[in-house]
Amino acid sequence: MTFTLDERVYGVDVAAVQEVLRGQPRTRIPLAPTSVAGLINLRGQVL
């Protein structure tokens, strides 16, 4: 599987991928650097 992060392409062995998430709403973190997009709530866990 490949994905792009900060205009760079990365690859991960598909056997190591558990699931692919898209479009999760993020919560902004005050005073965080711009490289931190925010937090998401995934099935009750904050990531």
Side-chain angles (χ1 to χ4, degrees), residues 2-27:
T2 60
F3 60 96
T4 304
L5 181 64
D6 196 26
E7 299 182 14
R8 292 186 176 182
V9 178
Y10 296 88
V12 176
D13 186 340
V14 72
V17 177
Q18 185 174 351
E19 66 182 308
V20 177
L21 303 173
R22 289 186 178 189
Q24 299 295 313
R26 292 176 293 225
T27 301

Side-chain angles (χ1 to χ4, degrees), residues 18-42:
Q18 185 174 351
E19 66 182 308
V20 177
L21 303 173
R22 289 186 178 189
Q24 299 295 313
R26 292 176 293 225
T27 301
R28 188 171 104 47
I29 303 169
L31 305 176
T34 57
S35 58
V36 177
L39 299 173
I40 67 168
N41 183 334
L42 179 63

